[in-house]
Amino acid sequence: YNIIFENDDTCGYGRRIYMSMKKKLALVLSLLLTVLVFAGCGNKEEAKVKEAADGFMQSLESGVFSNAGKHCTEDVEKELGLSDLENLSKVFYTSSGLSKNDLGDKAAKSIDDFTEKMQDNFITKYEIGEVELKDDEAKVSVKTTHGYNPYKLDDINVDSEVNKIANKYMEKHMDELTNLYVSKGQKALMKKVYADIIPEMLDAFSKKVDETGELKQEIQLKLKKQDDDSWKIVGAYASGEDSSEKKEK
């Protein structure tokens, strides 16, 4: 049977078709393998990009801003002021010229509570969205929810509330403050005043922050591949707002 088919023209034609199909199949499989290899590399890089973006956002959500900086280039970390956000309580002490010990436990606790609230509510929820990957650059869309509207913080004015608090305090403690100033000087006076009125002032400011309302928006994170094959954030931009509250220009 095999000998007959060996000399048969039909067998030779069939063999040629088989060999042709075999070559085409080998070519298709080779191309498919190449595609799969590159697709695998793309998926691997996309996973790295998502990991970097998620690490950044998770640190912001938890209020540990120093960890967020680890996922950014040094320039971006400085531009975003992440170290300042991490040490927000220091602003109160440097502006007053007094230390934490100078202010006493009650005032220090009110400062810690206020800064913790601001940090914890900066981002309360996020969702990593679409990833655009092109060579050594990537963009990641992230939907964020903020416990307050950070765009409106500059517009908060508590001057009238602070004046009322200060005037009421001065009227009530004038004799005590006068005696303190005469006996121990200006620094002792300032320590006393700040320690007593800071909790009430921060409470007034905190209420104003709450009034800005929750903000939902979408941001774009721009990432770049580094020499060590890691991905770091080189830019963060607000790309839109999904909220009934509009940003005031």
Side-chain angles (χ1 to χ4, degrees), residues 29-228:
L29 288 174
S30 177
L31 290 173
L32 180 60
L33 181 61
T34 302
V35 170
L36 289 174
V37 167
F38 279 103
C41 290
N43 289 336
K44 185 178 179 181
E45 292 302 326
E46 183 174 322
K48 285 184 177 181
V49 169
K50 278 190 173 182
E51 184 180 359
D54 188 59
F56 176 73
M57 296 304 303
Q58 195 173 63
S59 297
L60 294 183
E61 183 186 37
S62 63
V64 186
F65 298 100
S66 56
N67 284 347
K70 296 176 183 178
H71 300 283
C72 306
T73 59
E74 189 176 337
D75 290 342
V76 171
E77 183 180 3
K78 290 179 180 178
E79 184 180 341
L80 294 177
L82 295 176
S83 59
D84 293 334
L85 289 170
E86 179 82 7
N87 301 298
L88 192 58
S89 60
K90 287 184 178 179
V91 174
F92 293 93
Y93 302 119
T94 54
S95 62
S96 65
L98 300 172
S99 69
K100 192 171 186 177
N101 291 333
D102 289 333
L103 292 179
D105 293 341
K106 185 178 179 181
K109 186 179 184 306
S110 68
I111 291 172
D112 290 342
D113 289 346
F114 176 76
T115 55
E116 185 177 343
K117 174 184 176 179
M118 295 297 290
Q119 291 168 344
D120 289 348
N121 288 283
F122 179 63
I123 291 178
T124 56
K125 185 180 178 182
Y126 72 92
E127 180 182 346
I128 301 292
E130 183 180 354
V131 176
E132 294 180 26
L133 183 63
K134 185 177 181 182
D135 300 326
D136 291 342
E137 296 184 350
K139 290 181 181 179
V140 180
S141 298
V142 185
K143 290 182 179 179
T144 60
T145 302
H146 306 259
Y148 53 86
N149 191 328
Y151 300 110
K152 292 185 175 182
L153 294 183
D154 286 342
D155 299 329
I156 291 178
N157 189 328
V158 290
D159 288 350
S160 60
E161 287 88 346
V162 169
N163 286 334
K164 288 178 183 177
I165 293 169
N167 290 334
K168 184 178 179 180
Y169 176 80
M170 295 296 285
E171 289 175 7
K172 185 176 180 179
H173 299 278
M174 180 58 73
D175 291 341
E176 180 186 0
L177 296 174
T178 301
N179 291 332
L180 183 62
Y181 178 76
V182 171
S183 62
K184 294 186 178 181
Q186 184 174 354
K187 185 170 182 178
L189 172 66
M190 297 306 296
K191 285 169 64 173
K192 169 68 176 172
V193 172
Y194 274 116
D196 289 347
I197 69 174
I198 277 179
E200 200 170 349
M201 288 170 58
L202 287 180
D203 183 60
F205 191 83
S206 181
K207 289 176 181 177
K208 289 289 185 181
V209 171
D210 293 340
E211 289 174 7
T212 65
E214 182 183 80
L215 171 70
K216 293 184 178 181
Q217 65 174 353
E218 185 172 310
I219 64 173
Q220 291 282 338
L221 299 179
K222 186 177 180 182
L223 298 93
K224 190 172 180 64
K225 192 174 184 180
Q226 305 300 298
D227 293 337
D228 62 357

